[in-house]
Coordinates of all heavy atoms in Angstrom, one line a residue:
T23 N -48.6 61.5 -7.2 CA -47.5 61.5 -6.2 C -46.2 61.5 -6.9 O -46.0 60.8 -7.8 CB -47.6 60.3 -5.2 OG1 -48.9 60.3 -4.6 CG2 -46.6 60.3 -4.2
F24 N -45.2 62.4 -6.4 CA -43.9 62.5 -7.1 C -42.8 62.3 -6.0 O -42.9 62.6 -4.9 CB -43.8 63.9 -7.6 CG -44.8 64.2 -8.7 CD1 -46.1 64.6 -8.4 CD2 -44.4 64.2 -10.0 CE1 -47.0 64.9 -9.4 CE2 -45.4 64.5 -11.0 CZ -46.7 64.8 -10.7
V25 N -41.8 61.6 -6.5 CA -40.6 61.4 -5.7 C -39.4 62.0 -6.5 O -39.1 61.6 -7.6 CB -40.3 59.9 -5.4 CG1 -39.0 59.8 -4.7 CG2 -41.4 59.3 -4.6
N26 N -38.7 63.0 -5.9 CA -37.6 63.7 -6.5 C -38.0 64.2 -7.9 O -37.3 64.0 -8.9 CB -36.4 62.8 -6.6 CG -36.0 62.3 -5.2 OD1 -36.2 63.0 -4.2 ND2 -35.5 61.0 -5.2
H27 N -39.3 64.7 -8.0 CA -39.8 65.4 -9.2 C -40.2 64.4 -10.3 O -40.6 64.8 -11.4 CB -38.8 66.4 -9.8 CG -38.4 67.4 -8.8 ND1 -39.2 68.4 -8.3 CD2 -37.1 67.6 -8.2 CE1 -38.5 69.1 -7.4 NE2 -37.3 68.7 -7.4
K28 N -40.3 63.1 -10.0 CA -40.7 62.1 -11.0 C -42.0 61.5 -10.4 O -42.0 61.0 -9.3 CB -39.7 61.0 -11.2 CG -38.4 61.6 -11.9 CD -37.4 60.5 -12.2 CE -36.2 61.0 -12.9 NZ -35.2 59.9 -13.1
Q29 N -43.0 61.4 -11.3 CA -44.3 60.8 -10.9 C -44.1 59.3 -10.7 O -43.5 58.6 -11.5 CB -45.4 61.1 -11.9 CG -46.8 60.7 -11.4 CD -47.9 61.2 -12.2 OE1 -47.7 61.8 -13.2 NE2 -49.2 61.1 -11.7
I30 N -44.7 58.8 -9.6 CA -44.6 57.3 -9.3 C -46.0 56.7 -9.1 O -47.0 57.4 -8.8 CB -43.7 57.1 -8.1 CG1 -44.3 57.7 -6.8 CG2 -42.3 57.6 -8.3 CD1 -45.2 56.9 -6.0
V31 N -46.0 55.4 -9.3 CA -47.2 54.6 -8.9 C -46.8 53.9 -7.6 O -47.5 53.8 -6.6 CB -47.6 53.6 -10.0 CG1 -48.7 52.7 -9.5 CG2 -48.1 54.3 -11.2
S32 N -45.6 53.3 -7.6 CA -45.0 52.6 -6.4 C -43.5 52.9 -6.4 O -42.9 52.8 -7.5 CB -45.4 51.2 -6.4 OG -44.9 50.5 -5.2
H33 N -42.9 53.1 -5.3 CA -41.5 53.5 -5.2 C -40.9 53.0 -3.9 O -41.5 53.2 -2.8 CB -41.4 55.0 -5.4 CG -40.0 55.5 -5.2 ND1 -39.0 55.5 -6.2 CD2 -39.3 56.0 -4.1 CE1 -37.9 56.0 -5.8 NE2 -38.0 56.3 -4.5
T34 N -39.8 52.4 -3.9 CA -39.1 52.0 -2.7 C -38.3 53.2 -2.2 O -37.4 53.6 -2.9 CB -38.2 50.8 -2.9 OG1 -39.0 49.7 -3.3 CG2 -37.5 50.4 -1.6
L35 N -38.6 53.7 -1.0 CA -37.9 54.9 -0.6 C -36.5 54.7 -0.1 O -36.2 53.7 0.5 CB -38.8 55.5 0.6 CG -40.1 56.1 0.2 CD1 -41.0 56.3 1.5 CD2 -40.0 57.3 -0.6
K36 N -35.7 55.7 -0.3 CA -34.3 55.8 0.1 C -34.1 57.0 0.9 O -34.8 58.0 0.8 CB -33.3 55.7 -1.0 CG -33.4 54.4 -1.8 CD -32.3 54.4 -2.9 CE -32.7 55.3 -4.1 NZ -33.9 54.7 -4.9
H37 N -33.1 57.0 1.8 CA -32.8 58.2 2.7 C -32.6 59.4 1.8 O -31.9 59.4 0.9 CB -31.6 57.9 3.5 CG -31.1 59.1 4.3 ND1 -31.8 59.6 5.3 CD2 -30.0 59.9 4.1 CE1 -31.2 60.7 5.8 NE2 -30.1 60.9 5.1
G38 N -33.3 60.5 2.2 CA -33.2 61.7 1.5 C -34.2 61.9 0.4 O -34.2 63.0 -0.3
D39 N -35.0 60.9 0.1 CA -36.0 61.1 -1.0 C -37.0 62.2 -0.6 O -37.4 62.3 0.6 CB -36.8 59.8 -1.2 CG -36.1 58.9 -2.1 OD1 -35.1 59.3 -2.8 OD2 -36.6 57.7 -2.2
N40 N -37.4 63.0 -1.6 CA -38.4 64.1 -1.4 C -39.7 63.6 -2.0 O -39.7 63.4 -3.2 CB -37.9 65.4 -2.0 CG -36.9 66.1 -1.2 OD1 -37.1 66.5 -0.1 ND2 -35.7 66.2 -1.7
I41 N -40.7 63.5 -1.2 CA -42.1 63.1 -1.7 C -42.9 64.4 -1.9 O -43.2 65.1 -0.9 CB -42.7 62.2 -0.7 CG1 -41.8 61.0 -0.4 CG2 -44.1 61.7 -1.2 CD1 -42.3 60.2 0.8
Q42 N -43.3 64.7 -3.1 CA -44.1 65.9 -3.4 C -45.6 65.5 -3.5 O -45.9 64.7 -4.4 CB -43.7 66.6 -4.7 CG -42.3 67.2 -4.6 CD -41.2 66.4 -5.2 OE1 -41.4 65.5 -6.0 NE2 -40.0 66.5 -4.6
I43 N -46.4 66.0 -2.6 CA -47.8 65.8 -2.6 C -48.5 67.2 -2.6 O -48.4 67.9 -1.6 CB -48.3 65.0 -1.4 CG1 -47.7 63.6 -1.6 CG2 -49.8 64.9 -1.3 CD1 -48.0 62.6 -0.5
G44 N -49.1 67.5 -3.8 CA -49.6 68.9 -3.9 C -48.4 69.9 -3.8 O -47.4 69.7 -4.5
K45 N -48.6 70.9 -2.9 CA -47.5 71.9 -2.8 C -46.6 71.6 -1.5 O -45.7 72.3 -1.2 CB -48.1 73.3 -2.7 CG -48.8 73.7 -3.9 CD -49.3 75.2 -3.8 CE -50.0 75.6 -5.1 NZ -50.5 77.0 -5.0
H46 N -46.9 70.4 -0.9 CA -46.1 70.0 0.3 C -45.1 69.0 -0.1 O -45.2 68.3 -1.1 CB -47.1 69.4 1.3 CG -48.0 70.4 2.0 ND1 -49.0 71.0 1.3 CD2 -48.0 70.9 3.3 CE1 -49.6 71.9 2.2 NE2 -49.0 71.8 3.3
V47 N -44.0 69.0 0.7 CA -42.9 68.0 0.5 C -42.7 67.2 1.8 O -42.7 67.8 2.9 CB -41.6 68.7 0.2 CG1 -40.4 67.7 0.1 CG2 -41.8 69.5 -1.2
L48 N -42.6 65.9 1.7 CA -42.3 65.0 2.8 C -40.9 64.5 2.6 O -40.6 63.9 1.5 CB -43.3 63.9 2.9 CG -44.6 64.2 3.5 CD1 -45.6 63.1 3.1 CD2 -44.6 64.3 5.0
L49 N -40.0 64.8 3.5 CA -38.6 64.3 3.4 C -38.5 63.0 4.2 O -38.9 62.9 5.3 CB -37.6 65.3 4.0 CG -36.2 64.9 4.2 CD1 -35.5 64.6 2.9 CD2 -35.4 66.0 5.0
F50 N -38.0 61.9 3.5 CA -37.9 60.6 4.1 C -36.5 60.5 4.7 O -35.5 60.7 4.0 CB -38.1 59.5 3.1 CG -37.9 58.1 3.7 CD1 -38.9 57.5 4.5 CD2 -36.8 57.4 3.4 CE1 -38.7 56.3 5.1 CE2 -36.6 56.1 3.9 CZ -37.5 55.5 4.7
L51 N -36.4 60.2 6.0 CA -35.1 60.0 6.7 C -35.0 58.6 7.2 O -35.9 58.1 7.9 CB -35.0 61.1 7.8 CG -35.1 62.5 7.4 CD1 -35.3 63.5 8.6 CD2 -33.8 62.9 6.6
A52 N -33.9 58.0 7.0 CA -33.7 56.6 7.3 C -33.4 56.4 8.8 O -33.6 55.3 9.3 CB -32.6 56.0 6.5
S53 N -33.0 57.4 9.5 CA -32.7 57.2 11.0 C -32.7 58.6 11.7 O -32.6 59.6 11.0 CB -31.4 56.5 11.2 OG -30.3 57.4 10.9
E54 N -32.9 58.6 13.0 CA -32.9 59.8 13.7 C -31.5 60.6 13.6 O -31.5 61.8 13.5 CB -33.2 59.6 15.2 CG -34.6 59.1 15.5 CD -34.9 58.9 16.9 OE1 -34.1 59.5 17.7 OE2 -35.8 58.2 17.3
K55 N -30.4 59.8 13.6 CA -29.1 60.4 13.5 C -29.0 61.2 12.2 O -28.5 62.3 12.1 CB -28.0 59.3 13.5 CG -26.6 59.9 13.4 CD -25.6 58.7 13.5 CE -25.6 58.1 14.8 NZ -24.4 57.1 14.9
Q56 N -29.6 60.6 11.1 CA -29.5 61.3 9.8 C -30.3 62.5 9.7 O -30.1 63.4 8.9 CB -29.8 60.3 8.7 CG -28.8 59.3 8.5 CD -29.3 58.1 7.6 OE1 -30.4 57.7 7.8 NE2 -28.4 57.6 6.8
E57 N -31.4 62.6 10.6 CA -32.2 63.8 10.6 C -31.5 65.0 11.1 O -31.9 66.1 10.9 CB -33.5 63.5 11.4 CG -34.5 64.7 11.4 CD -35.7 64.4 12.2 OE1 -35.9 63.3 12.7 OE2 -36.5 65.4 12.3
A58 N -30.4 64.8 11.9 CA -29.7 65.9 12.6 C -29.2 66.9 11.5 O -29.2 68.1 11.8 CB -28.6 65.4 13.4
G59 N -28.9 66.4 10.4 CA -28.4 67.3 9.3 C -29.5 67.8 8.4 O -29.2 68.4 7.4
A60 N -30.7 67.6 8.7 CA -31.8 67.9 7.8 C -32.9 68.8 8.5 O -34.0 68.8 8.2 CB -32.5 66.7 7.3
E61 N -32.4 69.6 9.6 CA -33.4 70.4 10.3 C -33.9 71.6 9.3 O -35.0 72.0 9.5 CB -32.7 71.0 11.5 CG -32.5 70.0 12.6 CD -33.8 69.6 13.2 OE1 -34.7 70.4 13.3 OE2 -33.9 68.3 13.4
E62 N -33.0 72.0 8.4 CA -33.4 73.0 7.5 C -33.7 72.4 6.1 O -32.8 71.7 5.5 CB -32.3 74.1 7.3 CG -32.1 74.8 8.6 CD -31.0 75.9 8.4 OE1 -30.7 76.2 7.3 OE2 -30.5 76.4 9.4
P63 N -34.9 72.4 5.6 CA -35.2 71.8 4.3 C -34.2 72.2 3.2 O -34.0 71.4 2.3 CB -36.6 72.2 4.0 CG -37.2 72.6 5.3 CD -36.0 73.1 6.1
A64 N -33.7 73.4 3.2 CA -32.8 73.9 2.2 C -31.5 73.0 2.1 O -30.8 73.0 1.2 CB -32.4 75.3 2.3
K65 N -31.2 72.3 3.3 CA -30.0 71.5 3.4 C -30.3 70.0 3.3 O -29.6 69.2 3.9 CB -29.2 71.8 4.7 CG -28.7 73.3 4.7 CD -28.0 73.5 6.0 CE -27.5 75.0 6.1 NZ -26.8 75.2 7.4
E66 N -31.3 69.7 2.5 CA -31.6 68.3 2.4 C -30.5 67.6 1.7 O -29.7 68.2 0.9 CB -32.9 68.2 1.5 CG -34.1 68.7 2.3 CD -35.3 68.9 1.4 OE1 -35.2 68.6 0.2 OE2 -36.3 69.4 1.8

C-alpha cells in the first residue's frame, strides 16, 4: 500500500493524501466542503 508514492505499513491520513492500491487511487478528503474542489482527479 502506498501513500503519495511512498510504501507504508501504517500512516495517519491527511486531507489530499493519495492512497495507491494496485492501479487504483483513493483520494482522502477531510470534509464534504473540501471535496468540491476535487471532482476532477487531475486537480487534486
Side-chain angles (χ1 to χ4, degrees):
T23 300
F24 297 77
V25 176
N26 305 326
H27 306 293
K28 293 182 179 180
Q29 188 167 10
I30 61 96
V31 174
S32 183
H33 174 83
T34 301
L35 292 168
K36 295 183 284 293
H37 173 68
D39 275 350
N40 284 297
I41 306 166
Q42 291 97 28
I43 294 181
K45 296 183 179 180
H46 290 69
V47 175
L48 284 160
L49 172 65
F50 177 76
L51 298 168
S53 70
E54 291 184 21
K55 182 182 291 187
Q56 289 165 320
E57 185 181 351
E61 288 295 319
E62 296 180 15
K65 296 181 180 180
E66 292 163 5

